[in-house]
């Protein structure tokens, strides 16, 4: 074959290209996405933000959370805090043996990095490691609570002014078909700066549902500033229980002297009045509405009683938040019924009108 033959030139060009690629690959520095593993320090702490809109300063040092029991073994998290931020998260205990070794080695480094990035326990579960993720978050929250209890005032993330006025309130336990739900909130400046479920359904499918739903409910509570939050799809009972306990916590915060904000600003909150309407009996159970009136307007509406049990839980969970919003928007009881919740809507309007009559509206 002649040196200038086209086929020979093509073969030589291909060989040169392959050689070049091999050379480049051999020069590329090795990187292991899991090398940050237990240190969890891949995320720069200075940029970490909580789902509530700001990293919460906590005491410096190292703190270890309580061990969280899971179906496959205990999980225990230790945090290192510097400058009021989580700079390192590690699982000092995690499930092991058999398949658990592989799952733990994959999931824990990711959970560590997520904790540092989120600066809170509101992190997503790792796919395929539901139980370990749930236990990790529980122990992580315990560690954060201990860090705060060590003397660091909790901040809403908007600066240090007024942070000493923050108060933490735990709502009553709400019983659901799948287990109890209990919510704890931190209120500062008349606003919810943090919400967390200290109890939630667990075991079997509930672990996965809770792991997905609770962080979303927590964020929704902070964003809304009240208990008028939408149910998470696929977690109707947990959502209903969450709202019930959240409302209880808000009521306790008000009773303790903390004016509740409707999320539209704190001006005039001292002049607000709260009135509860009469109980309206419906075919599926009683409905009772409570409203807050300020400046001659409804600033908040809530159903303190509504039909429950069986299908009513799902219907109430969907209808009541919509009726609450409609009452505030309309400013009176002339609101449309929610489709599929005719009886509840009628009872709601009846009790709402009673509350307005008492308020003089």
């Amino acid at each position: 074959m002649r040196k200038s033959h086209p086929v020979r030139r093509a073969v030589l060009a291909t060989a040169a290209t392959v050689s070049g690629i091999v050379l480049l690959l051999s020069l590329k520095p090795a990187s292991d996405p899991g090398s940050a593993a237990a240190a969890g320090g891949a995320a720069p702490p200075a940029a970490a933000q909580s789902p509530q809109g700001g990293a919460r300063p906590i005491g410096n040092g190292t703190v270890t959370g309580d061990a969280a029991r899971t179906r496959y073994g205990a999980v225990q998290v230790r945090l290192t805090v510097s400058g009021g931020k989580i700079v390192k998260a590690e699982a000092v205990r995690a499930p092991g043996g058999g398949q658990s070794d592989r799952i733990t080695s994959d999931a824990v480094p990711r959970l560590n990095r997520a904790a540092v990035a989120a600066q809170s326990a509101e992190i997503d579960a790792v796919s395929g490691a539901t139980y370990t993720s749930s236990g990790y978050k529980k122990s992580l929250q315990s560690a954060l609570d201990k860090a705060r209890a060590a003397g660091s005032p909790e901040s809403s993330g908007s600066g240090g002014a007024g942070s000493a006025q923050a108060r933490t309130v735990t709502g009553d336990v709400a019983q659901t078909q799948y287990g109890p739900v209990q919510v704890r909130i931190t209120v500062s400046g008349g606003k919810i700066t943090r919400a967390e479920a200290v109890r939630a359904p667990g075991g079997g499918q509930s672990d996965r549902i809770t792991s997905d739903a609770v962080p979303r409910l927590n964020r929704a509570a902070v964003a809304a500033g009240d208990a008028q939050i939408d149910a998470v799809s696929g977690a109707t009972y947990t959502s209903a229980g969450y709202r019930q306990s959240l409302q209880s916590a808000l009521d306790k915060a008000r009773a303790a002297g903390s004016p509740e904000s409707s999320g539209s600003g704190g001006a005039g909150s001292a002049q607000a009045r709260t009135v509860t309407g009469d109980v309206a009996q419906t075919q599926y159970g009683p409905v009772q509405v409570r409203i807050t009136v300020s400046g001659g307007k409804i600033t908040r509406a809530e159903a303190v009683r509504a039909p429950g049990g069986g299908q009513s839980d799902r219907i109430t969970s969907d209808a009541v938040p919509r009726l609450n919003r409609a009452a505030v928007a309309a400013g009176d009881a002339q609101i449309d019924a929610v489709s599929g919740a005719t009886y509840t809507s009628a009872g709601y309007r009846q009790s709402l009108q009673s509350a307005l009559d008492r308020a003089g509206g």
Side-chain angles (χ1 to χ4, degrees), residues 293-322:
V293 180
S294 180
K297 299 186 180 211
I298 301 174
T299 58
R300 174 178 171 76
E302 56 188 313
V304 293
R305 296 180 70 181
Q311 281 287 87
S312 292
D313 283 326
R314 181 186 59 77
I315 294 170
T316 292
S317 175
D318 173 67
V320 165
R322 296 164 65 181

Side-chain angles (χ1 to χ4, degrees), residues 19 41-42 50 60 62 74-75 95 105 107 145 175 225 264 269 274 298 319 323 338:
S19 298
S50 77
N60 292 333
T62 301
V75 180
S105 69
D145 291 342
Q175 298 294 339
S264 56
S269 59
T274 299
I298 301 174
L323 291 166
V338 172

Side-chain angles (χ1 to χ4, degrees), residues 207-265:
D207 282 326
R208 180 186 59 77
I209 294 170
T210 292
S211 176
D212 173 66
V214 165
R216 296 164 65 182
L217 291 166
N218 290 337
R219 290 190 290 268
V222 173
D226 57 32
Q228 309 309 318
I229 57 178
D230 292 330
V232 172
S233 177
T236 304
Y237 293 100
T238 297
S239 299
Y242 187 100
R243 285 195 299 245
Q244 185 179 330
S245 184
L246 172 58
Q247 186 58 61
S248 166
L250 287 165
D251 291 343
K252 289 181 180 181
R254 282 201 303 266
S258 172
E260 185 177 356
S261 168
S262 67
S264 56

Side-chain angles (χ1 to χ4, degrees), residues 16 85 104 112 123 206 249 274 325 344:
K85 295 181 183 294
T104 292
N112 290 335
I123 57 178
S206 292
T274 299
R325 290 192 290 266
T344 297

Side-chain angles (χ1 to χ4, degrees), residues 121-297:
E122 307 306 333
I123 57 178
D124 292 331
V126 172
S127 177
T130 304
Y131 293 100
T132 297
S133 299
S134 177
Y136 187 100
K137 288 190 288 198
K138 190 181 295 185
S139 183
L140 171 57
Q141 185 59 60
S142 167
L144 287 166
D145 291 342
K146 289 181 180 182
R148 287 198 300 268
S152 174
E154 184 169 1
S155 163
S156 67
S158 56
S163 61
Q165 299 174 354
R167 64 155 49 93
T168 299
V169 186
T170 303
D172 294 333
V173 174
Q175 298 294 339
T176 77
Q177 184 171 319
Y178 296 101
V181 180
Q182 190 172 26
V183 177
R184 180 168 61 202
I185 60 172
T186 300
V187 180
S188 180
K191 295 180 184 291
I192 301 173
T193 58
R194 174 175 170 78
E196 56 187 315
V198 293
R199 295 180 69 181
Q205 281 286 86
S206 292
D207 282 326
R208 180 186 59 77
I209 294 170
T210 292
S211 176
D212 173 66
V214 165
R216 296 164 65 182
L217 291 166
N218 290 337
R219 290 190 290 268
V222 173
D226 57 32
Q228 309 309 318
I229 57 178
D230 292 330
V232 172
S233 177
T236 304
Y237 293 100
T238 297
S239 299
Y242 187 100
R243 285 195 299 245
Q244 185 179 330
S245 184
L246 172 58
Q247 186 58 61
S248 166
L250 287 165
D251 291 343
K252 289 181 180 181
R254 282 201 303 266
S258 172
E260 185 177 356
S261 168
S262 67
S264 56
S269 59
Q271 300 173 357
R273 296 175 54 208
T274 299
V275 185
T276 303
D278 295 331
V279 174
Q281 297 295 339
T282 77
Q283 183 171 320
Y284 295 101
V287 179
Q288 190 173 27
V289 177
R290 179 167 60 201
I291 59 173
T292 300
V293 180
S294 180
K297 299 186 180 211

